């Protein structure tokens, strides 16, 4: 074998042995330890010295042998001397340590770095155990001349690991062609451990003064006594032997019976060698080595020898040390024994192996002989290959399975090698109970996720004050799990929030299914949500108040409560029903919360087209009235009407919005069409006259879906053509217009004193001349000349005769409007503007007109005039809109739009917009109690939120004049 290679490559290769040495046994020598960065101090250079060849490079192995900085074993087989060298290189060598640091990278945490180094250390231990299982002699190399006591802990860890994996190793080599003792002990013999230290300048010899640093016998005796028998280096070797033996015996690494030990040391032979330092004259040292190598030995002959005698001579020459400068038994001129060389020191132990004498290192009264076996290369390679597959690199399936079990036993090393981790474990274990106490302090029986996180933060703060080391992160995760288990084991509060942003007070529970009764004894219990919040609200018309629970769903908030009160109060009142979903299948599905459908407007006769989920429904194709229909041209009243030309006395008219006049029959048809979600263009096949014209169907023309419904409330972001199952709005009629008395106000419960008066709203109907009015009005002072109750006296301006001939006078109709706000305690009041509450102190009702309230955005929430004792502000919410529509040719259009939050909150509106209120009625529009989108509820404002973002858009009411039909 000319060059060294990795042990794995050696075992896989077919080594061609010399037939002269094929059947002879071989000695396996393992070398491990630490090495410094200086050239020539590496473990590989020792093999160069022992083999008298330049086997390994001067500066150690290349980086390609192990680029990651891990551990690897190199092998070199010297067939002439019958010695197989195994060299273990690991992070204990400075070059590998630098490579490992480079591969570690930057930004890695403390715990990850610790795991990396401990993983490298475990790999080193496993490969070291591989050497202890295959070698006869082991050489521990250390770069200084002092013993590293950490080896004691390392060897105790290896011994414990060996006892754990011994059954696995036996199973691996049970079929190998070796002796029974080898199979039982999983090694050819108890290996003998030798120590080689490097002289690093700690030992100085100058003239006749000796300084060993050990004290006692290091100096010459005073008075010119004869020098010591042993040199300072030999005395250092003896002192190190005594120290090492004493330490290992004390820790029971070495015992009397060598077969029970991880390794042995000889009792009567030297096992420590100190390599001398480099000579200050390197040229002289090289010349000296050259003379020693070239000098003929006394017993060498000049004649050539051939045949068997040449083979014997070659064996003798190869096995004998080449540096036989002096004999150990010879003395120098001063009477001091001469130190042996490294090869002489090592060869005396190798000779015991090659001569099959073995090691008899047991001591005590009854020493037991240990087994010994000298295999040839073939047998050794078979055992080494099996152990290599199990301990280092998995091979077949059986070896891989055993290898996994061996890796699982590496936990034994943690208690011996990972002292800092053991300290960290103990420290973190003591910190956990303190952290648990901090978490559980001042906790209610049930609490929410927010409280859990806050307490966990406090517990982690206490834990970080006491915990230290690499186990910090692992026990912090355990603290997380422990606190979560404590919270979820009967202490978890229901996380559901009501529509008023209050938590359910129950612990974690399930909701009852339809028809199922609540059960408290179940785990988890089956209960309805309850925040223990109660408020007082009025019914749809406002005439009856009742307490209500804090709602958790939109149906309970905007429908169920008012439906319950309808049976007791306003169930029989006239009302306008908002369109809702009408299913055509037994199992309608809610619409998907996806992107709103695009508005597809097609040509005439195509109808709606197909919408997802609608399919083809009867009536979705061509409908009467969608194509060319008669009656879509100019109708009487739309264009020029008889009598609408320039009339005497009209002059410059007030600037009003153009009104569309219609007959009472037209008004009924218009209301019916809007309630069905249709335009007036689709009222029928025939209109009131004129030629028809082609018109494309608008979005309002479409029939709503009958197979899927809107799961929430209707707002500006909803898909077109969908309706909810119930309406969150209500529009009822309290009675005729005269049911409201402007002197007494609304006679309903809960109103604050003097705040139940509606605001007057004067609407100009038409303008006419004085002389025209005089012809039609009786002037006899009879009853017909007096105004009817609750009707304004039209045309009266100033005193009698105040208007000259030809002057115009206005016909004015008076409506009444009231924005009612209600707080959670049922206290109600009307508002005349964004920051003003109606307060009527004298008779005659409210004087301030409703124009200001109608022409501005009204707030959805305002501070209640009756605040409680607490510091938290109390808000009142816009609940109802009262409208008194007079019995006059007047159209009042209702179009409520509410934005219950800052943008991008959508705008909510009823299922029917632009609703014309019938005349002569006191109408009440009830607003939703809560507003919910697909993404969740729109909660009421908090203390620090501006109320201006919560508003009712202006334009909620619009008045248009309506002309009487032509006679």
């Amino acid at each position: 074998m000319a060059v060294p290679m990795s042990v794995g490559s050696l075992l896989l290769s077919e080594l061609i042995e010399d037939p002269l040495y094929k059947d002879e046994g071989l000695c396996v020598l393992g070398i491990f330890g630490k090495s410094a960065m200086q050239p020539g101090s590496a473990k590989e250079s020792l093999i160069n010295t022992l083999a008298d060849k330049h086997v390994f490079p001067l500066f150690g192995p290349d980086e390609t042998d192990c680029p990651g900085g891990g551990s690897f074993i190199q092998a070199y087989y010297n067939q002439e001397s019958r010695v197989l060298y195994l060299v273990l290189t690991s992070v204990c060598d400075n070059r590998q340590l630098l490579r490992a640091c480079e591969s570690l990278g930057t930004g890695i945490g403390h715990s990850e770095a610790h795991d990396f180094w401990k993983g490298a250390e475990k790999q080193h231990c496993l490969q070291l155990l591989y050497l202890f299982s295959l070698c006869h002699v082991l050489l521990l190399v250390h770069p200084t001349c002092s013993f590293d006591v950490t080896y004691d802990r390392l060897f105790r860890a290896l011994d414990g690991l060996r006892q754990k994996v011994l059954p696995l190793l036996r199973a691996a080599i049970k079929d190998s062609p070796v002796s029974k003792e080898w199979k039982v002990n999983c090694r050819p013999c108890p290996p003998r451990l030798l120590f080689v230290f490097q002289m690093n300048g700690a030992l100085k010899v100058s003239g006749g003064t000796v300084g060993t640093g050990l004290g006692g016998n290091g100096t010459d005796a005073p008075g010119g006594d004869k020098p010591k028998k042993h040199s300072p280096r030999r005395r250092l070797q003896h002192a190190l032997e005594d120290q090492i033996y004493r330490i290992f015996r004390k820790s029971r690494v070495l015992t009397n019976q060598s077969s029970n030990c991880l390794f042995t040391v000889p009792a009567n032979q030297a096992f420590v060698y100190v390599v001398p330092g480099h000579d200050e004259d390197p040229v002289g040292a090289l010349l000296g080595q050259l003379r020693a190598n070239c000098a003929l030995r006394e017993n060498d002959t000049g004649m050539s020898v051939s045949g068997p005698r040449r083979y014997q001579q070659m064996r003798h020459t190869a096995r004998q040390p080449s540096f036989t400068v002096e004999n150990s038994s010879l003395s120098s001129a001063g009477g001091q024994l001469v130190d042996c060389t490294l090869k002489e020191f090592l060869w005396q132990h190798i000779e015991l192996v090659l001569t099959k004498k073995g090691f008899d290192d047991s001591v005590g009264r009854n020493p037991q002989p240990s087994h010994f076996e000298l295999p040839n290369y073939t047998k050794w390679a078979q055992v080494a290959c099996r152990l290599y597959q199990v301990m280092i690199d998995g091979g077949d399936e059986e070896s891989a399975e055993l290898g996994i079990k061996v890796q699982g036993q590496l936990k034994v090393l943690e208690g011996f090698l990972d002292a800092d981790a053991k300290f960290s474990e103990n420290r973190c274990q003591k910190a956990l109970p303190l952290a648990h106490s901090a978490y559980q302090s001042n906790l209610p029986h049930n609490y929410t996720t927010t409280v859990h996180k806050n307490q966990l933060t406090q517990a982690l703060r206490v834990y970080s004050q006491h915990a230290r080391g690499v186990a910090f992160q692992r026990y912090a995760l355990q603290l997380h799990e422990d606190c979560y288990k404590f919270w979820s084991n009967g202490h978890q509060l229901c996380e559901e929030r009501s529509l008023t942003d209050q938590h359910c007070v129950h612990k974690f529970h399930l909701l009852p299914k339809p028809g199922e009764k609540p059960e408290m004894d179940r785990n988890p219990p089956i209960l309805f949500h309850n925040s223990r919040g109660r408020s007082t609200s009025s019914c749809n018309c406002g005439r009856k108040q009742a307490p209500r629970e804090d709602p958790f769903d939109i149906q309970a908030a905007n429908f169920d409560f008012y439906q319950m009160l309808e049976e007791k109060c306003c169930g029989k009142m006239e009302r306008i029903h908002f369109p809702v979903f009408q299913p055509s299948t037994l199992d309608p599905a809610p619409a998907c919360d996806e992107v709103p459908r695009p508005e597809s407007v097609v040509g005439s006769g195509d109808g709606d087209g197909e919408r997802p989920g609608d399919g083809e429904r009867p009536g979705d194709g061509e409908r009467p009235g969608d194509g060319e229909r008669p009656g879509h041209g100019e109708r009487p009243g739309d264009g020029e009407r008889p009598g609408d030309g320039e009339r005497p006395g009209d002059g410059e008219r007030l600037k009003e919005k153009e009104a569309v006049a219609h007959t009472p029959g037209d008004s009924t048809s218009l209301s019916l069409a809007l309630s069905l979600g249709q335009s007036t263009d689709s009222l029928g096949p025939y209109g009131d006259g004129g030629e028809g014209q082609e018109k494309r169907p608008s979005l309002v023309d479409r029939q709503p879906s009958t197979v899927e419904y809107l799961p929430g409330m209707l707002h500006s972001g909803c898909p077109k053509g969908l309706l909810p199952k119930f309406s969150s709005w209500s529009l009822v009629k309290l009675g005729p217009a005269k049911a409201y008395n402007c002197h007494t106000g609304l006679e309903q419960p809960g109103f604050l004193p003097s705040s139940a008066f509606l605001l007057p709203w004067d609407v100009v109907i038409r303008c006419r001349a004085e002389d025209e009015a005089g012809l039609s009005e009786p002037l006899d002072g009879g009853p017909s000349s007096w105004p009817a109750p609750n009707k304004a006296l039209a045309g009266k301006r100033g005193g009698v005769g105040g208007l000259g001939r030809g002057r115009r006078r206005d016909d004015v109709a008076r409506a009444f409007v009231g924005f009612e706000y209600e707080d959670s305690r049922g206290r109600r009041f009307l508002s005349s503007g964004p920051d003003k509450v109606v307060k009527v102190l004298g008779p005659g009702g409210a004087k301030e007109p409703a124009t200001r309230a109608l022409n501005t955005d009204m707030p959805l929430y305002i501070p209640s005039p009756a605040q409680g004792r607490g510091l938290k502000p109390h808000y009142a919410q816009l609940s109802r809109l009262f409208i008194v529509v007079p019995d006059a040719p007047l159209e009042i259009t209702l179009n409520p739009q509410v934005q219950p939050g800052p943008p991008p909150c959508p705008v909510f509106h009823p299922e029917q917009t632009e609703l014309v209120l019938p005349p002569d009625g006191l109408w009440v529009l009830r607003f939703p109690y809560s507003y919910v989108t697909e993404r969740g509820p729109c909660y009421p404002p908090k203390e620090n939120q501006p109320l201006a973002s919560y508003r009712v858009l202006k334009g909620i009411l619009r008045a248009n004049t309506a002309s009487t039909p032509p006679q």
Side-chain angles (χ1 to χ4, degrees):
M1 185 175 177
V3 293
M5 63 179 64
S6 66
V7 65
S9 302
L10 174 66
L11 297 176
L12 293 176
S13 64
E14 295 181 1
L15 182 64
I16 302 177
E17 291 192 87
D18 193 329
L20 298 177
Y21 317 128
K22 186 174 182 180
D23 296 331
E24 292 193 16
L26 81 160
C27 175
V28 184
L29 174 64
I31 302 176
F32 69 98
K34 301 178 180 179
S35 61
M37 290 294 295
Q38 292 81 8
S41 62
K43 299 187 289 288
E44 293 83 358
S45 63
L46 298 178
I47 301 179
N48 297 339
T49 302
L50 296 175
D52 292 333
K53 295 180 182 179
H54 190 70
V55 179
F56 288 92
L58 181 62
F59 296 98
D62 297 333
E63 187 176 353
T64 56
D65 296 331
C66 190
S71 301
F72 63 97
I73 300 175
Q74 287 182 297
Y76 174 70
Y77 182 24
N78 190 344
Q79 297 190 38
E80 296 180 357
S81 61
R82 307 301 298 162
V83 177
L84 175 63
Y85 299 95
L86 299 179
V87 184
L88 173 61
T89 304
S90 66
V91 290
C92 296
D93 301 282
N94 283 357
R95 285 190 174 86
Q96 286 300 106
L97 182 62
L98 291 178
R99 293 170 185 170
C101 292
E102 291 174 357
S103 65
L104 193 59
T106 58
I108 192 171
H110 177 63
S111 180
E112 290 81 0
H114 178 269
D115 294 339
F116 174 82
W117 293 118
K118 291 307 170 183
E121 193 170 3
K122 290 178 181 179
Q123 182 185 10
H124 170 247
C125 289
L126 197 58
Q127 296 193 356
L128 193 57
L129 182 61
Y130 179 75
L131 293 184
F132 275 86
S133 302
L134 291 173
C135 296
H136 298 93
V137 180
L138 288 164
L139 200 61
L140 190 154
V141 180
H142 197 67
T144 66
C145 57
S146 60
F147 177 65
D148 188 356
V149 293
T150 58
Y151 279 114
D152 176 68
R153 188 173 69 248
L154 174 64
F155 291 149
R156 284 190 286 119
L158 282 179
D159 192 18
L161 177 61
R162 180 176 177 271
Q163 299 300 327
K164 290 289 185 180
V165 302
L166 200 56
L168 302 175
L169 301 183
R170 289 170 182 166
I173 65 172
K174 61 181 179 179
D175 298 329
S176 301
V178 292
S179 63
K180 181 180 178 181
E181 289 78 7
W182 192 338
K183 294 180 181 179
V184 172
N185 296 280
C186 296
R187 55 186 181 181
C189 68
R192 178 173 283 187
L193 182 61
L194 308 178
F195 298 84
V196 174
F197 295 92
Q198 301 282 339
M199 187 72 71
N200 61 344
L203 185 63
K204 299 287 186 180
V205 180
S206 177
T209 305
V210 181
T212 63
L214 299 175
N217 301 325
T219 58
D220 291 342
D225 293 343
K226 62 180 181 179
K228 300 295 183 180
K229 181 179 180 181
H230 300 290
S231 65
R233 187 159 63 93
R234 177 166 291 190
R235 277 181 277 159
L236 175 61
Q237 292 174 173
H238 293 169
L240 288 172
E241 287 180 357
D242 295 341
Q243 183 186 30
I244 293 171
Y245 187 78
R246 187 165 54 249
I247 290 175
F248 287 161
R249 289 288 293 188
K250 190 77 173 179
S251 62
R252 299 192 61 80
V253 174
L254 292 177
T255 60
N256 290 341
Q257 304 300 326
S258 60
S259 59
N260 299 331
C261 301
L262 178 68
F263 60 87
T264 65
V265 294
N268 300 318
Q269 288 179 288
F271 59 89
V272 172
Y273 184 83
V274 178
V275 178
H278 297 286
D279 199 332
E280 296 181 0
D281 184 11
V283 177
L286 289 175
L287 290 176
Q289 291 186 7
L290 184 60
R291 292 191 195 97
N293 289 335
C294 295
L296 291 176
R297 306 180 191 276
E298 295 179 358
N299 56 354
D300 287 346
T301 59
M303 56 182 299
S304 61
V305 182
S306 61
R309 291 188 61 191
R310 181 177 180 274
Y311 165 68
Q312 295 292 336
Q313 185 176 353
M314 288 178 59
R315 282 199 58 188
H316 178 76
T317 305
R319 292 184 179 180
Q320 290 299 325
S322 60
F323 302 113
T324 55
V325 181
E326 303 92 5
N327 195 302
S328 297
S329 60
L330 299 179
S331 299
S332 63
Q336 195 174 65
L337 295 178
V338 178
D339 296 332
C340 64
T341 63
L342 175 62
K343 194 167 187 179
E344 291 173 345
F345 163 75
L346 186 58
W347 211 260
Q348 57 180 330
H349 303 283
I350 296 177
E351 281 289 344
L352 294 176
V353 176
L354 294 177
T355 57
K356 299 184 180 180
K357 293 182 179 180
F359 305 131
D360 188 13
D361 295 333
S362 298
V363 295
R365 296 182 179 180
N366 300 309
Q368 299 294 326
S370 59
H371 72 282
F372 177 85
E373 186 170 346
L374 183 66
N376 56 23
Y377 176 78
T378 304
K379 292 183 179 181
W380 179 89
Q382 292 183 11
V383 178
C385 184
R386 291 292 297 167
L387 293 181
Y388 184 83
Q389 293 175 353
V390 172
M391 301 177 68
I392 299 178
D393 187 12
D396 54 7
E397 183 177 354
E398 181 181 359
S399 300
E401 184 178 356
L402 291 175
I404 294 175
K405 295 180 180 179
V406 170
Q407 292 290 333
Q409 298 297 332
L410 293 181
K411 294 182 179 180
V412 180
L413 301 175
E414 296 178 358
F416 294 95
L417 303 180
D418 210 352
D420 50 351
K422 191 174 182 179
F423 166 79
S424 179
E425 291 266 350
N426 295 334
R427 190 69 182 172
C428 294
Q429 286 177 359
K430 291 182 180 179
L432 270 185
L434 301 177
H436 289 158
S437 300
Y439 174 81
Q440 298 177 15
S441 62
N442 301 324
L443 269 182
H445 189 268
N446 300 106
Y447 48 96
T448 62
T449 304
T450 303
V451 178
H452 164 70
K453 290 181 178 179
N454 293 338
Q455 292 296 109
L456 182 59
T457 302
Q458 179 65 23
L460 288 174
R461 187 180 297 113
V462 173
Y463 171 77
S464 61
Q465 292 174 353
H466 297 85
R468 293 293 182 272
V470 295
F472 182 93
Q473 190 67 23
R474 180 159 53 88
Y475 279 91
L477 294 176
Q478 182 178 341
L479 178 61
H480 273 268
E481 295 176 359
D482 294 345
C483 294
Y484 179 78
K485 288 180 181 178
F486 177 83
W487 175 48
S488 59
N489 188 18
H491 298 278
Q492 187 174 1
L493 190 67
C494 178
E495 294 294 324
E496 191 69 21
R497 302 171 76 91
S498 69
L499 299 183
T500 59
D501 200 17
Q502 299 193 35
H503 277 287
C504 176
V505 297
H506 294 310
K507 64 179 182 180
F508 180 77
H509 63 96
L510 301 178
L511 287 175
K513 297 179 181 179
E516 187 179 8
K517 295 182 179 180
E519 295 185 32
M520 285 288 297
D521 299 332
R522 291 274 298 272
N523 188 20
I526 299 177
L527 298 170
F528 290 103
H529 294 300
N530 186 5
S531 67
R532 291 181 184 167
R534 294 175 65 88
S535 59
T536 302
S537 294
S538 302
C539 63
N540 287 327
C541 65
R543 296 189 303 177
K544 186 174 182 59
Q545 287 186 314
R548 67 180 302 169
E549 300 288 341
D550 193 12
F552 280 82
D553 61 87
I554 190 65
Q555 183 171 351
N558 295 339
F559 185 76
D560 291 346
F561 172 76
Y562 302 102
Q563 194 73 13
M564 176 189 66
L565 291 182
E566 270 198 0
E567 302 174 359
K568 304 177 182 178
C569 178
C570 43
K572 298 181 180 180
M573 289 185 178
E574 181 182 348
R575 69 185 62 238
I576 296 179
H577 293 280
F578 293 106
V580 293
F581 173 72
Q582 301 295 334
S584 61
T585 59
L586 295 178
D587 51 347
C592 299
D593 298 336
E594 296 178 355
V595 181
R597 302 186 182 106
E599 302 177 0
S600 56
V601 180
V602 298
S604 63
D606 288 342
D608 286 347
E610 288 189 13
R611 295 193 302 270
D614 283 354
E616 295 185 0
R617 300 186 307 273
D620 274 359
E622 295 186 0
R623 299 190 304 270
D626 279 359
E628 294 185 2
R629 300 187 303 270
H632 267 283
E634 296 180 356
R635 298 192 306 269
D638 285 353
E640 294 183 358
R641 299 186 302 272
D644 270 11
E646 294 184 1
R647 298 190 303 270
D650 276 359
E652 186 179 355
R653 305 183 59 184
L654 294 174
K655 295 182 180 179
E656 301 179 24
K657 186 175 181 180
E658 183 180 357
V660 180
H662 56 272
T663 62
D666 292 333
S667 176
T668 306
S669 300
L670 175 65
S671 176
L672 176 62
L674 291 176
S675 66
L676 294 176
Q678 302 175 353
S679 67
T680 55
D681 297 333
S682 60
L683 289 178
Y686 299 99
D688 295 332
E691 292 289 331
Q693 62 179 3
E694 182 180 285
K695 185 176 181 181
R696 295 186 177 184
S698 65
L699 294 175
V700 187
D701 294 331
R702 299 179 178 179
Q703 292 288 343
S705 173
T706 59
V707 294
E708 59 178 0
Y709 59 88
L710 188 68
M713 296 177 61
L714 197 63
H715 56 80
S716 56
C718 292
K720 302 298 181 181
L722 294 178
L723 291 175
K725 282 187 170 183
F726 58 90
S727 178
S728 298
W729 307 73
S730 173
L731 183 59
V732 297
K733 182 179 180 181
L734 282 174
K738 64 181 180 181
Y740 174 72
N741 189 339
C742 63
H743 298 283
T744 59
L746 295 173
E747 296 179 353
Q748 291 186 356
F751 276 98
L752 298 179
S754 305
S755 65
F757 292 89
L758 304 182
L759 304 177
W761 182 25
D762 293 335
V763 182
V764 177
I765 299 177
R766 62 174 296 183
C767 300
R768 59 180 178 173
E770 173 84 11
D771 52 359
E772 182 184 354
L775 295 176
S776 60
E777 293 180 359
L779 300 176
D780 55 358
S784 60
S785 63
W786 292 94
N790 294 330
K791 279 196 175 183
L793 184 60
K796 292 294 183 181
R797 294 198 175 194
V800 178
L803 293 175
R805 183 173 180 82
R807 295 289 301 275
R808 182 185 65 185
R809 77 178 200 173
D810 300 338
D811 287 344
V812 178
R814 171 162 288 187
F816 291 90
V817 178
F819 290 87
E820 181 213 325
Y821 290 83
E822 185 177 19
D823 62 13
S824 60
R825 300 176 185 177
R827 293 172 294 195
R828 306 162 64 187
F829 57 90
L830 297 176
S831 175
S832 59
D835 54 356
K836 189 173 182 182
V837 178
V838 172
K839 193 76 171 178
V840 177
L841 300 179
K847 306 300 182 185
E848 185 177 358
T851 310
R852 180 191 177 197
L854 294 176
N855 294 334
T856 186
D857 293 342
M858 288 294 287
L860 184 60
Y861 299 93
I862 61 174
S864 176
Q867 293 289 331
R869 297 181 180 179
L871 299 177
K872 187 176 180 181
H874 203 60
Y875 294 127
Q877 179 181 349
L878 179 61
S879 301
R880 287 163 197 85
L881 176 67
F882 291 88
I883 313 107
V884 176
V885 182
D887 185 11
L890 181 67
E891 281 185 354
I892 295 183
T893 304
L894 179 65
N895 186 25
Q897 299 184 74
V898 181
Q899 189 175 24
C905 180
V907 176
F908 290 80
H909 55 81
E911 293 76 14
Q912 177 181 346
T913 57
E914 300 291 339
L915 179 63
V916 178
L917 298 177
D920 189 20
L922 173 54
W923 294 91
V924 183
L925 173 68
R926 194 260 303 162
F927 287 83
Y929 183 79
S930 298
Y931 299 86
V932 179
T933 66
E934 295 79 5
R935 297 183 178 181
C938 301
Y939 293 120
K942 304 291 184 183
E943 298 181 37
N944 55 352
Q945 290 180 311
L947 299 180
S949 302
Y950 303 79
R951 56 183 181 159
V952 178
L953 304 184
K954 61 182 178 181
I956 188 172
L957 291 176
R958 187 175 68 253
N960 298 326
T961 58
S963 301
T964 57
Q967 300 296 328

